[in-house]
Amino acid sequence: DSGVTQTPKHLITATGQRVTLRCSPRSGDLSVYWYQQSLDQGLQFLIQYYNGEERAKGNILERFSAQQFPDLHSELNLSSLELGDSALYFCASSPSGGGNNEQFFGPGTRLTVL
Amino acid sequence: GQNIDQPTEMTATEGAIVQINCTYQTSGFNGLFWYQQHAGEAPTFLSYNVLDGLEEKGRFSSFLSRSKGYSYLLLKELQMKDSASYLCAPALNYGGSQGNLIFGKGTKLSVKP
């Protein structure tokens, strides 16, 4: 158990819908990262937040957005869902945003878009 | 741009030694991580190298050559539970993007009895 929690564990929805994925980092960690993992793409970095502010953006679509709240939990919002958005979404946390910080991954949310 | 290359699949025998290679090209570099990921589960940390050389941790060792953009993960005394994907992940360091990991597609290791 990494100490990072993600809800829900599974999510099944239809195309065109909007969903929200939630992540609580390890106690004391200030940085949260979101990743998408699909079968053919591997683990893709989406976005990083540090202490409530966006720190870096990766391959995140405009239909996706995220935020980190004052209590440091984070939410990833996915809208106008497409079949291709079906994937495992991981959240990870680290103590700071530094490059030598190990990232601790949550168990993931499996999103299925029908 | 960022590019990470590692073999897609490898097979080895229980009790043997296996080396998983990774080459990378990144804009800014702040060390390299190796993660293990069992199917459908979260990646878990194995090792971190920031300086050239070998880091040993039990049955697992990791090597880094910054000048060559090359790393490898060495697994000794393989066990069946080592069957998993192994992800090579350089950490970026440019602008405000410190600490972001760029993951390779991973090497799926199958350990046979």
Side-chain angles (χ1 to χ4, degrees):
Chain A
D1 185 351
S2 67
V4 179
T5 61
Q6 287 187 251
T7 56
K9 195 168 177 59
H10 299 278
L11 199 48
I12 301 174
T13 188
T15 54
Q17 295 297 304
R18 172 189 161 94
V19 297
T20 298
L21 313 183
R22 184 189 168 101
C23 167
S24 292
R26 292 188 322 154
S27 176
D29 284 359
L30 299 178
S31 213
V32 168
Y33 309 79
W34 285 98
Y35 294 89
Q36 178 193 57
Q37 187 173 42
S38 51
L39 280 174
D40 56 345
Q41 288 297 319
L43 206 56
Q44 298 284 313
F45 167 68
L46 295 177
I47 197 164
Q48 177 200 2
Y49 278 83
Y50 174 74
N51 203 20
E53 301 213 348
E54 182 184 302
R55 172 67 71 89
K57 261 186 176 178
N59 300 322
I60 188 165
L61 299 171
E62 284 191 16
R63 301 184 285 110
F64 296 2
S65 65
Q67 54 184 328
Q68 187 180 28
F69 295 87
D71 67 352
L72 301 178
H73 91 271
S74 178
E75 292 181 357
L76 179 68
N77 301 297
L78 316 176
S79 61
S80 303
L81 285 167
E82 302 175 359
L83 296 177
D85 298 327
S86 296
L88 256 175
Y89 290 83
F90 287 105
C91 162
S93 74
S94 68
S96 69
N100 61 346
N101 279 184
E102 172 189 347
Q103 292 183 22
F104 297 85
F105 283 78
T109 293
R110 183 173 290 282
L111 173 67
T112 303
V113 182
L114 300 175
Chain B
Q2 330 290 354
N3 188 54
I4 297 125
D5 195 28
Q6 50 181 131
T8 305
E9 292 186 32
M10 297 182 72
T11 303
T13 305
E14 196 175 11
I17 299 173
V18 70
Q19 178 173 314
I20 301 174
N21 295 322
C22 170
T23 57
Y24 62 89
Q25 290 174 299
T26 59
S27 303
F29 179 77
N30 202 6
L32 189 139
F33 288 80
W34 283 94
Y35 279 80
Q36 180 191 60
Q37 186 179 27
H38 288 96
E41 297 183 10
T44 54
F45 169 81
L46 288 178
S47 68
Y48 172 67
N49 295 67
V50 65
L51 300 176
D52 285 0
L54 189 67
E55 294 277 344
E56 296 186 79
K57 195 189 275 189
R59 295 189 300 114
F60 292 54
S61 303
S62 56
F63 172 83
L64 177 67
S65 168
R66 295 175 70 120
S67 62
K68 294 182 179 175
Y70 168 69
S71 174
Y72 69 72
L73 180 70
L74 194 70
L75 294 78
K76 303 174 191 173
E77 300 167 19
L78 281 172
Q79 303 174 8
M80 298 299 291
K81 68 178 182 179
D82 297 330
S83 292
S85 287
Y86 291 86
L87 311 179
C88 169
L92 303 184
N93 183 15
Y94 63 90
S97 182
Q98 292 188 4
N100 294 319
L101 303 183
I102 301 298
F103 283 87
K105 292 191 175 181
T107 298
K108 185 176 179 182
L109 175 66
S110 298
V111 180
K112 310 281 187 201

